[in-house]
Amino acid sequence: MVFTFSIRDFIFVDFEASSIDADSCSIEVGMAWIADDIVHSGSSLIRPQTSWNRSAWSAASAQVHRITWSELDTAPSSYGVAFKYRHRFLHSGYRAVSDAAEWDGAWAEKLLEAVDGHGHQFVDFDHLVRSACRGNVEAINHTFAHLEATPIPHRAEPDAERPSTALLQGMKADDST
């Protein structure tokens, strides 16, 4: 049996968080997807719920992500962001992809608590690359070389665009071989 899929079924997800502590919260979510050989993307800051632990805020994380607590005070509500996120993945049939599935899964679950939701499984980026490039070692290597050559901006939208763009480049390399 051959596993086939459409790359259009996947959305690359990245979360930025208040810290990497166990009780940290999601402060930004970014998504990127491939359609018509183009990477599309979007993101939203997330206003933390009052029940979220503000002591889990890390000044170092704030500096890395260039996001201040005052920016989050005026961001869309966690409920609103969670509702849209849940709809995209749980009701529209898209599969979430992450290059850090354990972390992004934990932050997705924390976000979805705002709408009494539960987390969902993430597709591991490395596994998707192998499938999308149909096992073509040259295309797989091209994907990872592109990914490694692209700086990590530490903001959710460009961090989600980074692996999706690398995979698109790898898939194009696979098509040309």
Side-chain angles (χ1 to χ4, degrees):
M1 174 189 271
V2 175
F3 174 69
T4 60
F5 64 88
S6 169
I7 197 61
R8 298 179 82 143
D9 295 337
F10 297 88
I11 296 179
F12 298 78
V13 177
D14 186 81
F15 281 93
E16 304 303 347
S18 60
S19 69
I20 57 170
D21 292 340
D23 59 349
S24 65
C25 60
S26 311
I27 59 173
E28 185 180 36
V29 61
M31 298 181 207
W33 57 97
I34 299 170
D36 302 319
D37 284 340
I38 299 170
V39 173
H40 304 268
S41 61
S43 67
S44 179
L45 291 173
I46 303 165
R47 185 174 63 236
Q49 294 181 36
T50 55
S51 62
W52 290 358
N53 185 358
R54 287 188 182 232
S55 68
W57 179 257
S58 163
S61 290
Q63 185 176 13
V64 166
H65 301 307
R66 299 172 314 281
I67 299 172
T68 65
W69 194 266
S70 61
E71 287 178 90
L72 299 177
D73 284 336
T74 59
S77 73
S78 57
Y79 175 82
V81 175
F83 182 81
K84 289 178 184 175
Y85 183 91
R86 181 179 66 176
H87 178 75
R88 173 130 327 172
F89 291 106
L90 303 181
H91 300 298
S92 299
Y94 291 104
R95 307 239 359 242
V97 178
S98 173
D99 58 358
E102 185 176 338
W103 289 102
D104 287 328
W107 289 316
E109 185 152 341
K110 180 82 168 187
L111 175 65
L112 290 169
E113 287 173 0
V115 290
D116 295 326
H118 301 285
H120 54 87
Q121 285 217 305
F122 279 80
V123 174
D124 179 73
F125 176 70
D126 293 0
H127 293 130
L128 180 62
V129 169
R130 287 185 202 91
S131 295
C133 294
R134 301 177 299 182
N136 179 325
V137 174
E138 187 176 315
I140 293 167
N141 289 341
H142 187 81
T143 300
F144 287 108
H146 190 280
L147 185 67
E148 290 298 317
T150 307
I152 303 170
H154 297 290
R155 287 300 299 260
E157 184 173 355
D159 283 356
E161 290 171 342
R162 190 172 161 270
S164 57
T165 301
L167 181 58
L168 180 59
Q169 295 304 312
M171 290 170 61
K172 287 179 178 179
D174 181 49
D175 288 342
S176 68
T177 57

